[in-house]
Amino acid sequence: MSKEIILTGLRANGTFHLGNYLGGIQPMVNLQRDKAGEYQINMFVPDLHSFTTPVEHQHLFRSTITNLKMYVAAGLDVHDPDTFVYRQSYIPAHSEMAWILDCFAYFGEISRMTQFKEKSDGQANVSVALFNYPVLMAADILLYNAKWVPLGDDQKQHLEITRDIGERLNNKFGTELFVLPETWDKQLQFAQREVSVRIRSLVDPTKKMSKSISDPRGTIELTDDPVEAAKKVMSATTDSLGKIAFNFAEQPGISNLLQILALLTHQSQAAVNTEWEGKNSYGDLKKAVAEAVQVFLTDFQTKLAAVDEIALMAKLEESEERMREATAPVLYRVQQAVGLRPQE
């Protein structure tokens, strides 16, 4: 394993919608396609993170497998020798390393994490795990000496705290215990992106598409009937301006439709905008997007039904064995440094 490592997480629980696919799944599949061969790609399932907030525990294991199958249906090549797909909870070093890092993470710096504040706001009972999960995330990264960690904009603080904790231990023990992930600016440059894709609700385009939104008409699930999904698009909220323009500030509904159309038809945003901007028929735009959504879901669901679960499980088990071997010496080196193992 001499190649530089790209590490990224694959969501374990809950169901996927079109926003998840276009903003998360598709970029990961593209990452593998573009980088495999040149880099080692660690695509891990952060299943221990899954119940930092309430979850249906009896469905978690099956949900993990179902969601992995969706990545395969989207084009993830589980046969690629440079790609490792593994579940966090199957690599004990993640939990062991997290506790050690906990002892060098400061309450003040963790309490400033924006995501904790947002997810805990208004909650009567907030788990310690929700507060603490940035440290487990640091362990997820530092265990593999991963330089490249493609993350969404809302994860910037987590990358920074990972670098801070890793550097703190390196300095304290006078040795390079960890390879630090590159800085945020370098991560963006590596991923060749300026902003993340964020698909909006079809009902309220000022908000992102989400399962948590109470009105299901605004969210297209990847398991929706393709015809019914197309109807959701035809009922999408637009505006009364009467002229198509790509401008999220003034026309979020129309801009959201243009964005979805570009991503589903594999065209640049500029090309789609050139075709549609200045026209005044919102109905024609909705029909084009509805057709693209229907074609996409029909094709995706056919591929999903054909995924070989036996081959997927074999890949998981093989990768998990390799990752247990890879993380053992890193964990041992840290255990030695903090005095848990004999010096050699």
Side-chain angles (χ1 to χ4, degrees):
M1 298 186 183
S2 59
K3 297 176 179 178
E4 287 188 357
I5 294 174
I6 302 171
L7 183 142
T8 188
L10 311 179
R11 180 175 156 190
N13 59 306
T15 58
F16 288 135
H17 53 68
L18 186 64
N20 298 137
Y21 179 89
L22 295 176
I25 299 176
Q26 192 175 66
M28 286 190 188
V29 172
N30 292 343
L31 176 74
Q32 184 199 41
R33 181 197 63 210
D34 297 338
K35 302 295 187 181
E38 186 180 356
Y39 295 87
Q40 175 184 316
I41 302 176
N42 287 12
M43 292 186 164
F44 82 106
V45 180
D47 51 355
L48 291 173
H49 289 294
S50 297
F51 47 98
T52 55
T53 52
V55 65
E56 294 182 358
H57 293 275
Q58 68 272 28
H59 299 308
L60 178 58
F61 180 85
R62 189 63 224 169
S63 177
T64 298
I65 305 304
T66 299
N67 286 357
L68 282 172
K69 288 172 69 175
M70 288 194 172
Y71 278 92
V72 177
L76 182 67
D77 181 6
V78 295
H79 302 294
D80 178 72
D82 291 315
T83 299
F84 297 88
V85 184
Y86 56 95
R87 292 160 290 188
Q88 181 188 40
S89 67
Y90 279 68
I91 319 296
H94 285 252
S95 300
E96 295 183 55
M97 182 68 81
W99 176 254
I100 294 175
L101 298 184
D102 266 337
C103 297
F104 298 92
Y106 303 143
F107 179 85
E109 62 188 353
I110 301 300
S111 65
R112 289 191 291 270
M113 302 300 286
T114 302
Q115 280 211 356
F116 171 72
K117 294 176 182 178
E118 292 177 349
K119 291 184 178 181
S120 62
D121 185 42
Q123 301 298 316
N125 295 301
V126 179
S127 74
V128 174
L130 180 61
F131 177 81
N132 196 46
Y133 91 93
V135 182
L136 176 56
M137 186 171 174
D140 298 334
I141 297 168
L142 295 174
L143 267 171
Y144 297 92
N145 297 319
K147 292 181 64 176
W148 305 110
V149 190
L151 295 167
D153 294 341
D154 58 350
Q155 299 286 309
K156 181 180 179 181
Q157 279 188 308
H158 295 99
L159 177 71
E160 292 170 345
I161 200 72
T162 297
R163 286 176 51 83
D164 289 344
I165 295 172
E167 186 172 28
R168 187 172 301 150
L169 269 78
N170 284 350
N171 291 337
K172 181 175 180 64
F173 295 102
T175 182
E176 291 297 313
L177 289 177
F178 300 115
V179 172
L180 302 183
E182 295 288 358
T183 62
W184 180 254
D185 289 343
K186 289 184 178 179
Q187 299 287 348
L188 291 181
Q189 185 178 14
F190 179 78
Q192 296 182 326
R193 68 176 175 86
E194 297 179 357
V195 294
S196 300
V197 171
R198 181 164 294 186
I199 303 301
R200 311 295 184 89
S201 164
L202 296 176
V203 170
D204 182 357
T206 64
K207 299 177 180 179
K208 70 177 183 178
M209 187 175 287
S210 172
K211 279 286 289 183
S212 63
I213 302 300
S214 59
D215 192 341
R217 296 175 303 163
T219 300
I220 295 175
E221 300 286 340
L222 295 184
T223 53
D224 275 353
D225 177 271
V227 174
E228 293 303 313
K231 290 179 181 179
K232 290 182 180 180
V233 175
M234 294 304 298
S235 299
T237 299
T238 51
D239 54 60
S240 59
L241 297 180
K243 193 171 184 178
I244 296 172
F246 188 74
N247 185 325
F248 272 106
E250 295 184 5
Q251 293 185 270
I254 289 296
S255 301
N256 191 43
L257 292 176
L258 290 170
Q259 180 180 227
I260 292 171
L261 184 61
L263 292 168
L264 287 183
T265 58
H266 307 289
Q267 299 179 74
S268 70
Q269 191 65 63
V272 169
N273 293 350
T274 297
E275 179 183 355
W276 287 95
E277 283 190 320
K279 295 181 180 180
N280 54 20
S281 176
Y282 289 3
D284 288 345
L285 176 59
K286 286 184 176 182
K287 287 178 184 177
V289 178
E291 181 180 354
V293 166
Q294 186 171 339
V295 169
F296 161 71
L297 285 179
T298 300
D299 179 63
F300 177 80
Q301 291 170 11
T302 299
K303 291 176 178 176
L304 181 61
V307 171
D308 185 343
E309 187 169 321
I310 294 175
L312 175 59
M313 295 304 297
K315 178 68 174 183
L316 275 174
E317 292 167 5
E318 176 190 357
S319 294
E320 285 158 2
E321 180 60 32
R322 293 285 299 276
M323 294 302 100
R324 285 190 286 269
E325 294 173 358
T327 55
V330 180
L331 176 62
Y332 190 81
R333 185 169 68 243
V334 175
Q335 289 170 328
Q336 281 183 308
V338 301
L340 296 174
R341 298 293 183 269
Q343 302 293 320
E344 297 177 356

